[in-house]
């Protein structure tokens, strides 16, 4: 399995994890370790930066890179402020940009996200924006200096799988930056499918955190992501609904 | 504005419709992927009683999927019990002759120290309604004072004007709770005979003003024990639906305060239209089945055993170690409370109780940098 490069960093695992919704920090840590992930998101709004934050203590592993997110931001302005705070507090210029003005479905705001990406990239951030599966927006984000794109498979937290399949395929086909399918992935089979399509990575939270046995589910996702990626690298044969006829129309030609 | 929407409904007709729901209606409501207000009627109706366990299982699953295995912890900070309203159910009522107190700056900071020592990051500021003593200027000053100490500030005070909310938002206010108490317009005046609070329509329009002012989160609710809780729940849900459609960038929460006995000059006052525990569980689950993203909070009004079980039933936030009197944490622990606390366990004990159920107590879930 080829390693993934984002902004000059190498990731041996193509599975990224969110750290919310777990029943305890211990449970979260066990799942993170079982998944083999090397990149985990942390919500800035959940971090207590004035004291020794509990969550961060459980994420202190040499192989783990932290990806602070701006969850809760409703506009570019708020997201940029949050990004600066996260950079200072966590000593990282990596950022998962989340701008969702609607608190019900948490759907990303394309206009504000593009604006914030351009500004943050200029400020030296490595921006990974959470977006709709919008191929045009992806190209605009590339121009704005994004490090990757994170299109959603389905509304966040729904476990519905790849509902935006047709658009993910277009995005993957034409992207110059890594494509990370983020949101909606509810089962290892969904993750495997995304990897088979040629997505560079997937980000999973709800499906693992709310499973009966999060660590075991995290391991299942690890296997699925590896299987899907290997299949993609091996090049899947084309899909047909019947075997090829053995007397083609062109047999009479003396070729 | 909500009032014209509200006027399209008649209290008695809604009540009759709820009480006429059948098992079939409840089953239909349970099987739907997205539920309407008609489904909600079935879920809060007496016909849903035999389905309570099923509702609870579904409520827990929906809550876990949306919020994970977490319970957010918050604490009320009573700034004043001075009040110019007469409310028949409240210890702060103007006609209840109790010692009145409004915290000074120094006292507020003393209380803050005590609250911070318990681990809190989310605080709810509470006052009575006294425009001279605890008006907007007082609140603005209080928020300014405490902002450095808290990640998240909520407010439960008298209704204000839109520009006043905008002013407080600029100071760092995140959430405002505005309970209608009851949506029974005809009877509202009985409970609120005197003071500004007796204006039903002005109070009803408060969430509209909050939405326009861009307040992040609005809390709705009624006092359980005044009127028929099922009908009040329907109107709260109607209000919620209207607000969600109108102010789509705002978050919403609900709370179900059951009236507790209050101290009065002659002994205690209790309330007749009491809701039993099974009914409160039904109400929590009905709201969760209606809206998977709705925040549902539970105060220390409820008793220990009930609160322990509520952790997994659909609630998302809880107070602990609360004092409902101004100065109750440090300044004047003996002063009179707004209502009697049932669950007097410390925040540390509550956090341990939450952890014991495999849930994470969350102390901080906002950041002042997010405005």
């Amino acid at each position: 399995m080829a390693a993934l490069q984002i902004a000059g960093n190498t990731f041996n695992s193509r599975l990224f994890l969110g750290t919310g919704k777990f029943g305890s920090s211990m449970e979260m840590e066990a799942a993170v370790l079982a998944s083999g992930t090397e990149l985990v998101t942390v919500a800035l709004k959940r971090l207590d930066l004035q004291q020794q934050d509990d969550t961060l203590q459980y994420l202190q592993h040499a192989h783990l890179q932290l990806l602070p997110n701006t969850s809760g931001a409703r506009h570019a302005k708020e997201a940029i402020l949050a990004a600066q705070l996260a950079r200072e507090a966590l000593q990282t210029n990596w950022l998962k940009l989340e701008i969702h003005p609607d608190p019900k479905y948490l759907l990303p705001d394309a206009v504000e996200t593009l604006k914030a990406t351009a500004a943050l990239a200029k400020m030296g951030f490595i921006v990974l924006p959470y977006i709709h599966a919008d191929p045009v927006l992806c190209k605009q984000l590339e121009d704005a200096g994004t490090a990757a794109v994170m299109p959603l498979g389905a509304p966040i937290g729904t476990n519905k799988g790849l509902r935006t399949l047709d658009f993910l395929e277009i995005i993957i086909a034409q992207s110059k930056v890594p494509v990370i399918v983020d949101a909606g992935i509810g089962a290892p089979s969904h993750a495997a499918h995304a990897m088979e399509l040629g997505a560079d990575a997937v980000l999973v939270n709800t499906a693992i955190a709310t499973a009966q046995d999060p660590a075991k589910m995290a391991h299942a996702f690890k296997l699925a992501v590896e299987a899907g990626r290997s299949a993609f690298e091996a090049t899947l044969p084309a899909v047909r609904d019947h075997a090829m006829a053995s007397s083609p129309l062109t047999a009479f030609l003396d070729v | 504005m909500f009032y014209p929407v509200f006027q399209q409904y008649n209290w008695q007709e809604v009540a009759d419709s709820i009480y006429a729901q059948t098992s079939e209606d409840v089953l239909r409501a349970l099987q739907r992927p997205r539920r309407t207000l008609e489904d909600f009627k079935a879920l809060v109706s007496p016909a849903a009683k035999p389905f309570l366990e099923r509702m609870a299982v579904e409520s827990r699953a929906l809550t876990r999927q949306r919020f994970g295995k977490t319970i957010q912890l918050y604490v009320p900070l009573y700034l004043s019990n001075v009040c110019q309203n007469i409310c028949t159910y409240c210890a702060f009522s103007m006609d209840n002759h109790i010692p009145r107190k409004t915290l000074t700056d120094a006292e507020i900071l003393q209380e803050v120290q005590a609250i911070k020592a318990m681990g809190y990051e989310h605080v709810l500021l509470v006052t009575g309604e006294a425009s001279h003593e605890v008006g907007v200027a007082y609140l603005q000053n209080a928020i300014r004072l405490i902002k450095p100490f808290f990640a998240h500030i909520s407010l439960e005070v008298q209704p204000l004007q839109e520009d006043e909310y905008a002013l407080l938002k600029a100071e760092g206010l995140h959430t405002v709770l505005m309970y209608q108490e009851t949506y029974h317009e005809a009877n509202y005046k009985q409970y609120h005979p005197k003071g500004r609070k007796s204006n039903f329509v002005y109070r009803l329009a408060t969430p509209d003003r909050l939405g326009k002012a861009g307040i992040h989160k609005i809390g709705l609710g009624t006092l359980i024990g005044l009127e028929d809780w099922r009908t009040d729940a329907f109107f709260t849900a109607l209000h919620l639906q209207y607000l969600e459609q109108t102010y789509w960038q705002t978050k919403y929460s609900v709370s179900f305060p059951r009236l507790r006995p209050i101290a009065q000059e002659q002994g205690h006052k209790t309330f007749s239209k009491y809701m039993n525990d099974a009914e409160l569980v039904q109400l929590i689950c009905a709201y969760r089945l209606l809206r998977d993203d709705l925040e549902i909070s539970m105060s220390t009004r409820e008793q220990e055993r009930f609160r322990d079980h509520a952790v997994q039933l659909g609630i998302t936030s809880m107070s602990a170690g609360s004092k409902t009197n101004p100065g109750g944490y440090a300044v004047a622990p003996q002063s009179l409370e707004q209502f009697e606390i049932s669950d007097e366990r410390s925040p540390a004990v509550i956090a341990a109780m939450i952890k014991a159920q495999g849930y994470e107590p969350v102390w901080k879930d906002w950041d002042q940098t997010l405005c």
Side-chain angles (χ1 to χ4, degrees):
Chain A
M1 211 175 74
L4 170 62
Q5 299 275 335
I6 304 177
N9 276 38
T10 305
F11 297 95
N12 293 307
S13 166
R14 290 172 177 270
L15 172 60
F16 302 153
L17 253 60
T19 54
K21 298 193 181 183
F22 285 92
S24 71
S25 297
M26 284 81 82
E27 204 173 63
M28 183 264 292
E29 181 184 41
V32 164
L33 295 177
S35 74
T37 189
E38 294 169 356
L39 187 71
V40 293
T41 60
V42 285
L44 173 77
K45 68 185 172 83
R46 284 279 296 269
L47 296 180
D48 189 348
L49 299 168
Q50 288 167 359
Q51 302 174 40
Q52 185 67 302
D53 186 83
D54 193 48
T55 313
L56 294 180
Q57 288 182 44
Y58 287 88
L59 294 171
Q60 287 186 343
H61 294 276
H63 69 283
L64 283 183
Q65 171 153 345
L66 296 183
L67 182 62
N69 74 36
T70 59
S71 173
R74 303 193 292 184
H75 312 286
K77 191 169 135 257
E78 291 169 7
I80 291 166
L81 277 173
Q84 288 167 302
L85 184 76
R87 173 157 71 175
E88 199 174 323
L90 301 178
Q91 295 297 300
T92 176
N93 57 351
W94 284 63
L95 183 81
K96 182 183 171 189
L97 179 63
E98 289 187 36
I99 303 177
H100 36 74
D102 116 71
K104 192 181 216 18
Y105 296 106
L106 306 171
L107 291 168
D109 181 325
V111 176
E112 293 294 307
T113 301
L114 182 58
K115 214 190 310 181
T117 300
L120 290 163
K122 280 200 186 82
M123 293 158 72
F125 282 92
I126 292 165
V127 186
L128 287 76
Y130 157 66
I131 50 166
H132 244 292
D134 176 344
V136 172
L137 177 63
C138 287
K139 297 315 282 180
Q140 291 168 327
L141 286 163
E142 279 178 18
D143 296 341
T146 197
V149 288
M150 303 182 91
L152 55 83
I156 199 162
T158 59
N159 295 335
K160 287 181 175 177
L162 307 184
R163 295 292 174 94
T164 57
L165 181 63
D166 292 359
F167 307 101
L168 291 172
E169 286 175 330
I170 296 169
I171 291 166
I172 290 165
Q174 61 184 25
S175 187
K176 289 198 303 192
V177 295
V179 178
I180 302 151
V181 179
D182 172 22
I185 292 178
S189 54
H190 301 154
H193 189 190
M195 298 311 292
E196 286 172 12
L197 295 177
D200 294 282
V202 294
L203 194 146
V204 183
N205 184 192
T206 302
I208 292 174
T210 63
Q212 193 75 39
D213 184 340
K216 196 165 191 173
M217 186 60 78
H219 183 68
F221 269 96
K222 174 182 192 277
L223 298 175
V225 168
E226 287 171 2
R229 179 65 193 182
S230 297
F232 171 75
E233 288 177 8
T235 310
L236 288 157
V239 177
R240 301 185 193 289
D241 52 11
H242 55 79
M244 279 295 277
S246 55
S247 315
L249 290 170
T250 54
F252 72 96
L253 295 168
D254 295 327
V255 182
Chain B
M1 299 299 283
F2 177 61
Y3 195 54
V5 177
F6 173 75
Q7 285 178 300
Q8 293 166 25
Y9 293 81
N10 169 288
W11 177 278
Q12 198 51 51
E13 282 171 18
V14 169
D16 291 346
S17 159
I18 290 170
Y19 283 86
Q21 299 286 315
T22 64
S23 306
E24 286 70 34
D25 296 322
V26 179
L27 273 171
R28 184 204 62 228
L30 281 169
Q31 284 157 356
R32 276 186 193 265
R34 279 171 187 266
R35 298 179 181 95
T36 63
L37 289 179
E38 283 304 306
D39 296 323
F40 185 72
K41 276 184 191 172
L43 296 174
V44 295
S45 75
K49 196 179 172 183
F51 298 91
L52 193 57
E53 180 66 24
R54 200 169 146 181
M55 284 171 69
V57 169
E58 178 70 7
S59 175
R60 181 174 74 174
L62 285 171
T63 310
R64 277 189 185 174
Q65 184 173 352
R66 176 77 192 205
F67 295 91
K69 292 162 86 177
T70 63
I71 295 286
Q72 208 281 312
L73 290 163
Y74 72 96
V75 72
L77 169 52
Y78 278 70
L79 299 172
S80 171
N81 63 359
V82 178
C83 197
Q84 292 154 350
N85 292 320
I86 292 182
C87 301
T88 55
Y89 48 79
C90 182
F92 294 174
S93 189
M94 194 174 75
D95 56 350
N96 194 18
H97 296 287
I98 55 162
R100 302 288 170 165
K101 177 159 187 60
T102 299
L103 298 184
T104 63
D105 286 10
E107 289 172 330
I108 290 174
L109 289 172
Q110 231 180 307
E111 292 286 285
V112 164
Q113 289 308 322
I115 289 173
K116 287 301 291 181
M118 295 191 258
Y120 282 108
E121 281 289 340
H122 288 225
V123 67
L124 165 65
L125 303 179
V126 189
T127 67
E129 175 158 6
S131 49
H132 287 302
E133 190 128 11
V134 286
V136 177
Y138 179 88
L139 296 171
Q140 188 177 14
N141 174 65
I143 292 171
R144 202 173 283 181
L145 264 184
I146 70 162
K147 187 183 168 176
F149 302 97
F150 294 100
H152 185 282
I153 299 169
S154 306
L155 199 61
E156 188 176 353
V157 302
Q158 72 276 16
L160 304 174
Q161 299 284 32
E162 185 190 328
D163 59 335
E164 295 173 329
Y165 285 129
L167 186 77
L168 298 179
K169 179 175 183 277
E171 291 292 348
L173 175 64
H174 180 280
T175 297
V176 177
L177 309 183
M178 182 46 64
Y179 302 149
Q180 189 60 27
E181 318 301 20
T182 178
Y183 287 86
H184 196 306
E185 188 173 7
N187 290 356
Y188 179 88
K189 194 98 182 166
Q190 289 176 20
Y191 309 113
H192 310 99
K194 203 168 176 313
R196 288 188 179 180
K197 194 169 174 177
S198 59
N199 187 335
F200 177 87
V201 178
Y202 181 71
R203 191 173 186 87
L204 194 71
T206 309
D208 275 290
R209 296 193 298 277
L210 287 164
K212 287 177 186 156
I215 292 288
H216 272 276
K217 187 158 67 187
I218 301 174
L220 304 177
T222 58
L223 268 177
I224 312 275
L226 298 182
E227 292 293 332
D228 176 60
W229 66 264
R230 303 175 203 271
T231 311
D232 256 332
F234 172 84
F235 280 103
T236 310
L238 177 72
H239 202 170
L240 173 70
Q241 178 174 288
Y242 158 83
L243 291 167
E244 283 178 334
Q245 288 169 352
T246 312
Y247 309 104
W248 59 274
Q249 294 196 25
T250 307
K251 268 179 127 105
Y252 297 93
S253 67
V254 286
S255 181
F256 313 116
R258 287 196 283 185
L259 279 170
R260 302 269 320 143
I262 56 170
Q264 289 188 313
E265 289 146 279
Q266 291 86 31
H268 280 66
K269 176 170 182 171
T270 51
F271 301 91
S272 58
K273 286 188 179 144
Y274 199 68
M275 168 199 236
N276 67 36
D277 286 359
E279 289 169 340
L280 181 53
V281 170
Q282 182 184 347
L283 185 58
I284 291 168
C285 295
Y287 267 102
R288 178 57 65 224
L289 267 59
L290 178 72
R291 291 284 185 270
D292 69 352
D293 59 305
L294 186 66
E295 296 186 12
I296 303 177
S297 67
M298 179 170 280
S299 79
T300 50
R301 288 170 183 266
E302 298 302 334
Q303 295 180 337
E304 293 187 14
R305 187 161 171 269
F306 190 88
R307 294 209 335 144
D308 291 359
H309 285 277
V311 165
Q312 296 194 40
L313 286 172
I315 67 163
T316 56
S317 66
M318 217 178 218
S319 53
S322 307
K323 302 291 180 203
T324 64
N325 43 331
Y329 296 103
V331 174
Q334 299 310 317
S335 62
L336 184 105
E337 298 183 314
Q338 186 188 26
F339 57 88
E340 289 174 19
I341 298 301
S342 265
D343 184 351
E344 298 192 349
R345 291 172 295 177
S346 72
V349 172
I350 295 292
M353 175 275 286
I354 292 167
K355 281 182 184 168
Q357 298 189 53
Y359 278 58
E360 182 177 18
V362 173
W363 299 94
K364 178 178 182 288
D365 195 24
W366 190 249
D367 202 279
Q368 290 283 9
T369 42
L370 294 162
C371 313

